[in-house]
């Protein structure tokens, strides 16, 4: 079934694993959860030999286990969970995995934007049915959050701070009272949340000040801050995991040379260090230099090598993808990348030669094309 979708949700993609874990799970479960907290943690972080399972469960989210455990405990207490962190730290992916493991449904999602309205959180109306038969529960269109309430499952709210304050405030009564009233109806005009309902929201820490959360709403969420991955080995695992998924999805057979992965990781580490020491925004790349952007650079290079190259990933192609992905402002970003190539990559290429020298040449060519 997952082969028929461009991107299968986690509960479809890992249905076999979830079925297996459910069949061997004899631990206590909160509410109507499909898996126990221990099995949810194992599903997300992967199994170990000490778990005594008949099959291996691979790791799907890379980060400190305490973040996963705190998230699970929060949802078991029926409080709202807010995952907050920089772009590319895996907040949405963790939210999807949690929803898939808890209720086998991660698709009840509201996307926060400046255009998100209260209707997206509560309900709207099928206008043609209202005209024909009047307002009733049949002519009402429940939001993903209301649907989650009625089913007793997890609802998700992506980029909460991107929505306006009045939209955010509509969540307060849902999180505290656990029901939504429908004043347009005389009968059957309250939707009560069933046991198991909760909300997982995500927020970008770089959006602080866009639409700050009210104190009342903050009190109704437990915050779990997801830090930027700084450990090189952990970041390499994340990039490798996502890249292997890409190759399987596109049915591409292409080796990822370890030396090129090291170059990509080191380049991002160098650029982050330069951004941290910069004294003005003009001296920093506009890019957040997140792990997600590393994956995007590598994905671009792999697809370019597959469709327009000789199906071998080379340092020049990787450099071109890095420059093309990170140079968002001209001339500021181009100048920063050019300074990096001449000040860091060129000496490294003279010292080590090989891929670093090829990476330098590819970066120069890309900058010359964009200048």
């Amino acid at each position: 079934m997952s082969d028929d979708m461009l991107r299968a949700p986690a509960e479809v993609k890992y249905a076999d694993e979830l079925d297996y874990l459910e069949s061997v799970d004899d631990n206590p479960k909160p509410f109507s959860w499909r898996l126990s907290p221990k099995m949810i943690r194992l599903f997300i972080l992967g199994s170990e030999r000490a778990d005594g399972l008949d099959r291996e469960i691979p790791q799907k989210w890379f980060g400190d286990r305490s973040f996963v455990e705190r998230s699970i405990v929060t949802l078991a207490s029926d409080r709202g969970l807010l995952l907050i962190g920089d772009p590319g730290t895996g907040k949405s992916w963790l939210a999807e995995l949690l929803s898939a493991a808890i209720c086998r449904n991660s698709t009840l999602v509201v996307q926060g934007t400046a255009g998100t309205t209260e209707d997206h959180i509560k309900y709207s109306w099928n206008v043609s049915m209202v005209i024909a038969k009047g307002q009733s529960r049949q002519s009402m269109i429940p939001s993903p959050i209301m649907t989650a309430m009625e089913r007793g499952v997890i609802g998700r709210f992506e980029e909460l701070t991107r929505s306006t304050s009045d939209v955010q405030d509509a969540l307060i009564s849902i999180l505290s009272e656990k029901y939504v009233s429908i004043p347009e109806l005389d009968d059957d005009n309250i939707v009560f949340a069933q046991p198991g309902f909760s909300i997982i929201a995500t927020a970008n820490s770089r959006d602080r000040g866009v639409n700050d959360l009210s104190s009342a709403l903050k009190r109704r969420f437990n915050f779990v801050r997801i830090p930027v991955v700084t450990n090189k080995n952990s970041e390499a695992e994340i990039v490798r995991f996502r890249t292997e998924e890409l190759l399987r999805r596109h049915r591409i057979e292409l080796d990822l040379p370890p030396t090129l992965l090291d170059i990509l990781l080191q380049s991002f580490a160098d650029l982050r260090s330069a951004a941290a020491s910069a004294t003005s925004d003009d001296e920093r790349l506009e890019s957040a230099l997140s792990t997600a952007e590393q994956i995007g650079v590598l994905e671009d290079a792999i697809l370019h090598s597959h469709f327009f190259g000789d199906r071998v990933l080379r340092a020049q192609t990787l450099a071109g993808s890095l420059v093309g992905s990170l140079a968002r402002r001209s001339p500021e970003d181009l100048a920063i990348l050019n300074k990096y190539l001449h000040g860091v990559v060129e000496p490294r290429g003279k010292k080590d030669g090989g891929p670093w020298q090829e990476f330098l040449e590819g970066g120069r060519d890309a900058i010359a094309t964009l200048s």
Side-chain angles (χ1 to χ4, degrees):
M1 182 178 175
S2 61
D3 292 337
D4 298 329
M5 304 177 190
L6 181 61
R7 182 193 178 279
E11 62 271 18
V12 174
K13 184 175 183 178
Y14 301 113
D16 186 50
E17 285 184 25
L18 291 167
D19 288 340
Y20 167 74
L21 291 174
E22 197 169 338
S23 70
V24 299
D25 189 4
D26 56 3
N27 297 302
K29 306 176 183 69
F31 308 115
S32 56
W33 286 20
R34 301 288 293 271
L35 291 177
S36 66
K38 285 186 177 180
M39 282 299 184
I40 294 171
R41 183 186 65 186
L42 189 149
F43 169 69
I44 294 172
L45 297 178
S47 61
E48 300 176 354
R49 185 172 298 178
D51 295 316
L53 298 180
D54 296 333
R55 57 178 289 181
E56 180 184 4
I57 304 298
Q59 187 172 3
K60 302 168 188 66
W61 187 81
F62 297 83
D64 194 296
R65 66 186 295 165
S66 66
F67 301 139
V68 176
E69 291 175 353
R70 177 166 165 75
S71 298
I72 295 170
V73 168
T74 295
L75 295 170
S77 70
D78 85 6
R79 285 179 61 82
L81 170 65
L82 179 62
L83 302 174
I84 187 168
D86 282 356
T89 48
K91 303 182 297 296
S92 297
W93 180 231
L94 177 56
E96 182 176 342
L97 290 171
L98 287 166
S99 301
I102 290 171
C103 58
R104 300 291 284 266
N105 189 343
S106 65
T107 60
L108 296 173
V109 184
V110 173
Q111 180 64 52
T113 68
T116 303
T117 67
E118 190 172 330
D119 291 352
H120 294 114
I121 296 175
K122 292 184 175 179
Y123 59 89
S124 56
W125 298 97
N126 183 322
V127 177
S128 60
M129 288 186 66
V130 170
I131 293 173
K133 299 181 179 180
Q135 290 177 320
S136 66
R137 288 296 293 269
Q138 289 69 39
S139 60
M140 190 178 72
I141 303 173
S143 71
I145 299 297
M146 181 179 280
T147 301
M149 295 176 68
E150 292 180 302
R151 296 180 184 176
V153 297
I154 302 295
R156 295 169 52 202
F157 199 122
E158 290 289 311
E159 305 291 355
L160 180 58
T161 51
R162 281 285 171 186
S163 55
T164 57
S165 299
D166 56 328
V167 174
Q168 294 177 16
D169 288 344
L171 283 176
I172 293 176
S173 62
I174 293 175
L175 288 168
S176 58
E177 306 299 335
K178 300 295 191 295
Y179 68 79
V180 172
S181 61
I182 311 167
E184 295 91 339
L185 301 181
D186 294 327
D187 301 313
D188 195 17
N189 58 1
I190 298 180
V191 173
F192 292 97
Q194 298 301 303
F197 166 71
S198 192
I199 292 176
I200 303 176
T202 65
N204 187 339
S205 55
R206 292 194 171 217
D207 287 342
R208 187 174 299 166
V210 175
N211 290 298
D212 287 335
L213 302 182
S214 66
S215 298
L217 188 54
K218 286 179 180 179
R219 288 197 303 272
R220 287 160 175 81
F221 277 112
N222 271 1
F223 283 56
V224 174
R225 296 188 178 274
I226 309 296
V228 174
V229 178
T230 55
N231 182 279
K232 190 174 180 180
N233 292 332
S234 297
E235 193 163 45
E237 284 296 322
I238 296 170
V239 175
R240 191 179 293 110
F241 172 76
R242 287 298 196 180
T243 304
E244 288 172 355
E245 281 193 331
L246 166 75
L247 294 174
R248 284 195 299 269
R249 188 196 312 162
H250 291 282
R251 297 187 176 93
I252 294 175
E253 294 184 6
L254 186 147
D255 290 332
L256 175 59
T259 53
L260 294 190
L261 180 57
D262 288 341
I263 286 176
L264 178 65
L265 293 169
Q266 187 60 54
S267 297
F268 267 72
D270 294 337
L271 291 168
R272 287 170 184 160
S273 178
S277 60
T279 57
S280 70
D281 288 341
D282 286 344
E283 297 174 354
R284 296 185 185 93
L285 288 171
E286 189 175 82
S287 163
L289 297 170
S290 66
T291 304
E293 286 171 312
Q294 283 192 67
I295 295 167
V297 168
L298 189 56
E299 178 180 359
D300 181 80
I302 286 172
L303 293 175
H304 194 280
S305 300
H306 180 73
F307 292 115
F308 300 110
D310 54 6
R311 301 190 178 183
V312 176
L313 182 61
R314 303 186 186 281
Q316 295 98 320
T317 307
L318 185 63
S321 295
L322 183 140
V323 171
S325 298
L326 301 186
R328 300 173 182 175
R329 300 174 300 174
S330 182
E332 293 91 347
D333 286 350
L334 288 175
I336 293 169
L337 290 169
N338 190 53
K339 180 180 178 181
Y340 168 65
L341 289 174
H342 287 282
V344 179
V345 177
E346 186 173 356
R348 200 174 283 157
K350 289 179 180 178
K351 178 183 177 182
D352 300 332
W356 277 108
Q357 185 62 35
E358 296 170 5
F359 186 78
L360 172 65
E361 294 169 2
R364 282 174 171 171
D365 292 343
I367 288 177
T369 301
L370 294 172
S371 298

